[in-house]
Amino acid sequence: NTTINEIQRLMVENGIGRIPIVHKSEVIGIVTRKDVLRFLNNPSELSAKNKSKNENKFYLSNSQVIEKLKTLIPKEIYNVLEIASDTAKEIKMKVYLVGGIVRDLLLGIQNLDVDLVVEGNGIEFAKKLSEKLGVRFESYQKFNTAVIILKNGHHIDVATARVEHYPKPASLPDVEPGSLNQDLARRDFTINTLAISLNVNDFGKIIDFFGGRKDLAKKKIKVLHKLSFIEDPTRIFRAVRFEQRLGFKMDRQTEKLALSSIEMDIVSKLNGIRIRDELIAILNEEKPWKALKRLYNIGALNKIGIVKTFDKKYINYLQRIYKNYEFLKTFINLDFKNRNVNKINKNKDGNNKNDSNINNNIDRNIGSPNFQMWRAYIIALLYPNNQDFLKEWCLNLKLKNKDSEIIINSVLSFDFLAKNLRKKIKKSSDLYFILHNMPDELLINISAVSTSCFEKILLFYKKLKNIKLEISGKDLRTLNYKPSKNFKIALEKIHRLKIDGLIQTKEEEINKAREILDLLDKSQSFI
């Protein structure tokens, strides 16, 4: 499991040319200086006999990589890569395609999240490339990064190759310029350390310093070194997310390191924002209950204040939440179109941050443009809890006020709403006024409680929610009534009648308004 960098360090610091390989106290092999030099000169030079049939398909020629790029990404983005290649040659820098897009390319998965790493000055490169493309770019001097915004709104992230140092566990790293090797060495897992050269002399060449292709073939999630989870415990959450998304599994050593880090309570020391981002990323996966159960099994969930027993009954409940919103969207015109998250603020795959493919799942809407599926799951995860706990939890995770308000109010209203929906409700208007001010995230949760609750919520969305009055306070003023609190009373009464099907037309609404307002005025005059 030792990286090539670690072997180099041991040789240099100890002045030795051979490193023994030990397994269970037995020497099973040896690495020499010649082995290291051979690897550094051509890391892809592996004999066919040492690779499995499955592994061979990840060892592609430059032309095969180019063909895959042309197949899996739009022509306009591929053209940007070619222009980036020419730009790098002109200004004498080296540029590489890195991160999740390379991993997914080898897996045959489309990923439109383009991240470039430059050996040189990333901002200078981005400026030159944006000029060639005739588009704008934004730079961030503090991080030596930039974002190029294409005419179609797509973003290209450009970063200067860098090396990181962690001053203490779970802290943010100190960063300084480095080589491509050093930049890839700071990534989370071997499968995310892959790069593709975009340089003219070897365009399409796969760079694999850390055996990423081998682990892709084995479907393994493997950290680069033993302190990986200590440096950044969010990698535990990402490891689990990749396991479930890709159908991979942490290798034995990586899982052991993850468990040790959890036992050491390193996760609890994380910045709340980083926990929030990783948790939301998991909840925006297609079937988040799988990753949640895995986090529960390894003891990570309770470290972030989520105390749940992930038995079959609870997992079925989470599955019903997903199933119900999938069903309800057909009736209430729910908009589940993925919205591109501004990549300027987006965290990147394999860079101690979020995976690029989160973009494909974030901000799924339901019921209203403001619906967030992750909030619906958070409500399920935090119910039941008291107000003080909920406020502190949301504050610790640095949730936005709007998100906190919806989550807290929903958890606190859960029992009340479920109890009311279990009762027999005779009038449609009564059902409407029970549900109409409740967050959609809460309604989706309650719909999963029982068949009866689901049927009532379905009725609300399908037939009641969009019943609106044609008249307003303005119409009442034109009838020569003086504005007062009676307007609100009258409009609600008319709304109830319309929901119950007792009036239909605008004329009927106006006549009923006159009748109600006259009665209210008389009763108040009498008093």
Side-chain angles (χ1 to χ4, degrees):
N1 292 322
T2 307
T3 66
I4 193 72
N5 288 337
E6 179 67 8
I7 291 173
Q8 283 182 277
R9 186 187 65 79
L10 289 170
M11 285 182 173
V12 172
E13 289 184 358
N14 295 284
I16 53 178
R18 294 173 176 79
I19 300 288
I21 307 302
V22 180
H23 179 67
K24 294 183 178 179
S25 301
E26 292 185 11
V27 177
I28 59 171
I30 197 165
V31 177
T32 68
R33 277 190 297 247
K34 184 182 290 186
D35 294 323
V36 173
L37 290 172
R38 185 184 298 117
F39 179 85
L40 293 176
N41 283 325
N42 193 351
S44 298
E45 190 180 329
L46 297 173
S47 61
K49 65 180 181 180
N50 291 328
K51 290 182 283 185
S52 66
K53 184 177 180 181
N54 183 50
E55 193 176 340
N56 272 317
K57 69 182 182 182
F58 296 108
Y59 287 80
L60 307 178
S61 66
N62 295 9
S63 60
Q64 287 174 317
V65 170
I66 291 170
E67 189 59 35
K68 266 188 169 286
L69 282 169
K70 289 180 177 179
T71 302
L72 289 172
I73 65 175
K75 184 178 179 180
E76 58 186 332
I77 294 181
Y78 181 79
N79 290 340
V80 170
L81 301 184
E82 289 190 320
I83 296 170
S85 179
D86 294 336
T87 304
K89 183 180 180 180
E90 283 181 25
I91 58 179
K92 297 180 180 179
M93 294 184 190
K94 290 186 177 182
V95 61
Y96 303 88
L97 185 64
V98 301
I101 189 171
V102 182
R103 176 199 68 221
D104 290 347
L105 180 86
L106 293 177
L107 291 172
I109 301 170
Q110 186 180 62
N111 184 335
L112 303 183
D113 194 42
V114 181
D115 292 310
L116 304 180
V117 164
V118 176
E119 284 187 325
N121 187 314
I123 294 178
E124 181 186 340
F125 174 86
K127 183 175 185 296
K128 186 72 173 177
L129 178 57
S130 65
E131 289 172 355
K132 279 178 167 285
L133 295 170
V135 297
R136 66 186 179 92
F137 89 108
E138 297 178 12
S139 62
Y140 304 89
Q141 296 288 343
K142 181 179 178 181
F143 304 105
N144 229 344
T145 61
V147 178
I148 297 172
I149 302 96
L150 302 182
K151 291 175 182 177
N152 64 0
H154 198 93
H155 293 77
I156 307 292
D157 282 0
V158 180
T160 302
R162 59 191 192 257
V163 61
E164 292 178 345
H165 305 285
Y166 289 82
K168 60 182 180 179
S171 67
L172 292 172
D174 295 327
V175 178
E176 62 184 51
S179 65
L180 175 68
N181 188 313
Q182 290 172 316
D183 191 273
L184 297 176
R186 68 189 179 84
R187 309 272 160 158
D188 46 14
F189 312 112
T190 58
I191 61 171
N192 292 330
T193 63
L194 297 164
I196 295 174
S197 172
L198 300 182
N199 302 298
V200 174
N201 63 329
D202 60 356
F203 191 99
K205 179 182 178 181
I206 295 177
I207 312 296
D208 184 8
F209 294 123
F210 305 99
R213 287 173 293 183
K214 185 177 180 180
D215 290 328
L216 281 177
K218 292 181 176 180
K219 296 187 175 183
K220 292 294 184 183
I221 306 294
K222 184 190 294 186
V223 290
L224 273 70
H225 57 87
K226 291 183 178 181
L227 294 180
S228 183
F229 292 131
I230 302 293
E231 289 178 347
D232 184 4
T234 61
R235 289 171 175 163
I236 295 170
F237 294 84
R238 285 201 300 283
V240 169
R241 178 157 51 85
F242 284 130
E243 278 187 330
Q244 305 310 318
R245 180 196 293 175
L246 301 175
F248 284 23
K249 187 83 168 58
M250 280 186 263
D251 75 324
R252 186 180 300 176
Q253 176 75 354
T254 298
E255 183 171 16
K256 183 179 178 181
L257 294 171
L259 291 170
S260 296
S261 299
I262 292 166
E263 289 173 6
M264 293 167 64
D265 210 23
I266 301 293
V267 174
S268 303
K269 296 180 174 64
L270 273 171
N271 179 292
I273 294 175
R274 298 171 76 190
I275 295 176
R276 176 198 69 198
D277 291 345
E278 291 301 333
L279 183 59
I280 290 175
I282 286 171
L283 297 178
N284 277 301
E285 292 287 323
E286 187 176 354
K287 297 177 180 179
W289 48 85
K290 291 184 177 181
L292 290 170
K293 183 176 182 181
R294 175 80 159 126
L295 289 170
Y296 165 77
N297 288 339
I298 63 177
L301 269 191
N302 65 356
K303 297 295 183 181
I304 59 172
I306 296 175
V307 182
K308 281 286 182 184
T309 301
F310 276 77
D311 54 17
K312 187 175 181 179
K313 181 180 178 181
Y314 185 68
I315 291 172
N316 285 341
Y317 173 67
L318 294 178
Q319 290 173 335
R320 286 197 302 276
I321 290 175
Y322 177 78
K323 179 181 177 182
N324 287 359
Y325 90 69
E326 277 288 305
F327 184 80
L328 288 169
K329 72 182 180 184
T330 62
F331 293 102
I332 53 178
N333 194 28
L334 303 184
D335 177 16
F336 287 99
K337 293 178 181 177
N338 296 327
R339 294 183 300 176
N340 288 330
V341 177
N342 190 330
K343 285 187 63 181
I344 295 172
N345 300 316
K346 171 188 76 64
N347 291 329
K348 293 190 282 270
D349 179 356
N351 190 13
N352 309 318
K353 300 174 184 178
N354 290 345
D355 178 56
S356 55
N357 267 357
I358 297 167
N359 240 23
N360 296 331
N361 293 311
I362 268 182
D363 287 350
R364 288 185 282 182
N365 301 328
I366 179 174
S368 75
N370 298 316
F371 180 92
Q372 298 290 335
M373 193 62 210
W374 65 265
R375 285 196 306 236
Y377 286 124
I378 289 286
I379 292 165
L381 291 169
L382 294 183
Y383 169 82
N385 271 296
N386 61 48
Q387 188 171 7
D388 290 341
F389 173 87
L390 295 169
K391 283 184 176 180
E392 184 177 359
W393 192 89
C394 291
L395 185 64
N396 288 340
L397 264 68
K398 306 292 190 297
L399 293 181
K400 293 178 182 178
N401 291 337
K402 180 180 178 181
D403 295 328
S404 298
E405 183 181 349
I406 289 173
I407 290 167
I408 293 170
N409 290 341
S410 294
V411 174
L412 296 178
S413 302
F414 199 107
D415 286 334
F416 167 81
L417 186 57
K419 181 179 178 182
N420 275 278
L421 288 185
R422 286 191 183 102
K423 297 177 182 177
K424 186 175 181 180
I425 301 174
K426 295 181 179 179
K427 292 184 177 181
S428 295
S429 57
D430 290 336
L431 177 62
Y432 175 89
F433 281 97
I434 289 172
L435 300 179
H436 82 291
N437 279 331
M438 296 293 181
D440 290 318
E441 290 90 342
L442 174 57
L443 296 189
I444 296 300
N445 265 274
I446 299 297
S447 76
V449 169
S450 69
T451 302
S452 173
C453 288
F454 173 77
E455 289 173 348
K456 290 185 175 81
I457 289 172
L458 173 61
L459 174 63
F460 168 74
Y461 277 126
K462 188 178 180 181
K463 294 185 176 179
L464 308 180
K465 184 178 181 180
N466 296 317
I467 297 177
K468 308 295 180 186
L469 289 178
E470 293 185 57
I471 64 171
S472 64
K474 184 178 179 180
D475 295 294
L476 301 184
R477 287 196 295 272
T478 62
L479 298 176
N480 295 321
Y481 290 100
K482 186 178 181 181
S484 69
K485 63 181 181 180
N486 288 345
F487 278 21
K488 182 178 180 180
I489 296 171
L491 290 172
E492 182 176 320
K493 285 179 178 292
I494 298 165
H495 196 186
R496 283 181 175 274
L497 291 170
K498 188 165 186 177
I499 291 170
D500 291 331
L502 300 177
I503 57 176
Q504 281 86 34
T505 67
K506 183 175 182 178
E507 184 180 356
E508 288 177 319
E509 290 180 21
I510 289 174
N511 291 336
K512 183 57 68 174
R514 283 197 181 100
E515 180 185 327
I516 294 172
L517 288 171
D518 286 344
L519 284 173
L520 288 171
D521 286 345
K522 284 180 183 178
S523 64
Q524 288 168 3
S525 297
F526 177 78
I527 291 172

